[in-house]
Amino acid sequence: MTRRTVRGLAPVLLAAVALTGCSSGSDGATTVDTKPGGAPAKTTAKATAETSATKGGTVGGSGSVCKLPVVLDTAQHWTAEAVVAGKPGSDFAELGIQGPVTLACEIDAKPAGHIGFLRVWKGDDKGSTARQALEGFVKADTNPSKITYTQTTVGKLSVTEARYTIYSELLDESRPNRAFAVATPDGPVVVHLGGLDADEHKSMLPAFELAKRSVRLG
């Protein structure tokens, strides 16, 4: 599998507009704390029948196409590809940067019949908490609203999750987004799920949940 540059992201997104899909998924967590800097609720990560996805592989470990500070499981048929962010000063540099993190890996849902990606971002600030990285990431998205944060524990890792919406002028609708972050000795990692529309987002939630409940240090 070849490495791709951020230059290829825009055409992929445009091509995705023609396709849709539908399934279901929800982790059932109670969300609180809509103000940045507040204390998140503590919950326990768990899988349910609705959020189960069959494991297809892993990314981030030894021999993985994506070199990451964490390892996480990927859903069956989803394919991972490393992303090389644009060089500073290039026309495409900003496409690979969102707030404090840089895009490092795309996990593509198209082979599984959906339109969207799990995107893994990583930052260089080794002193950053998961919450700080996630707040910076969400704030840098396109007009985020209805933001809520929760905190879960996966193994020995503290995982902070955000749910929020962004407005799409193209589709004239607000689309749900989910992201979670962890702090590592090498800096924070953010895993984000968007989707072409609300239905596609919902259908891909099981893959997001699989990644979240399997995340561990690399």
Side-chain angles (χ1 to χ4, degrees):
M1 183 176 296
T2 60
R3 291 166 64 86
R4 67 184 298 174
T5 64
V6 173
R7 182 182 296 270
L9 289 178
V12 171
L13 294 177
L14 291 174
V17 173
L19 300 175
T20 58
C22 183
S23 181
S24 64
S26 171
D27 69 358
T30 300
T31 57
V32 297
D33 180 25
T34 61
K35 296 181 180 179
K42 291 186 177 180
T43 60
T44 300
K46 61 181 180 179
T48 67
E50 290 183 339
T51 59
S52 295
T54 301
K55 175 183 172 181
T58 61
V59 296
S62 176
S64 171
V65 67
C66 295
K67 306 302 180 184
L68 303 168
V70 297
V71 178
L72 51 85
D73 294 343
T74 59
Q76 191 173 38
H77 305 307
W78 289 52
T79 57
E81 191 167 1
V83 175
V84 180
K87 296 180 179 180
S90 73
D91 292 339
F92 298 92
E94 292 186 0
L95 288 176
I97 300 172
Q98 186 162 317
V101 290
T102 300
L103 184 60
C105 185
E106 282 189 336
I107 307 169
D108 190 355
K110 286 195 294 297
H114 307 298
I115 299 299
F117 298 89
L118 274 177
R119 289 192 169 106
V120 186
W121 307 68
K122 60 182 182 178
D124 296 324
D125 185 356
K126 297 180 181 181
S128 173
T129 66
R131 178 64 180 256
Q132 289 170 337
L134 190 56
E135 285 183 358
F137 177 85
V138 172
K139 182 179 179 180
D141 212 331
T142 307
N143 299 318
S145 62
K146 300 180 180 179
I147 306 167
T148 61
Y149 293 94
T150 57
Q151 183 173 309
T152 63
T153 299
V154 177
K156 296 182 179 180
L157 280 179
S158 177
V159 180
T160 302
E161 180 177 351
R163 302 186 186 196
Y164 62 101
T165 62
I166 59 172
Y167 179 73
S168 169
E169 293 185 356
L170 179 64
L171 298 175
D172 190 26
E173 69 177 17
S174 292
R175 297 192 322 240
N177 282 251
R178 296 269 286 274
F180 71 83
V182 297
T184 82
D186 295 317
V189 173
V190 175
V191 179
H192 172 260
L193 175 68
L196 177 65
D197 54 28
D199 285 341
E200 284 291 350
H201 176 84
K202 187 176 182 181
S203 70
M204 295 185 293
L205 281 176
F208 176 85
E209 291 298 331
L210 174 63
K212 185 176 68 174
R213 67 176 178 263
S214 66
V215 66
R216 61 267 194 196
L217 292 180

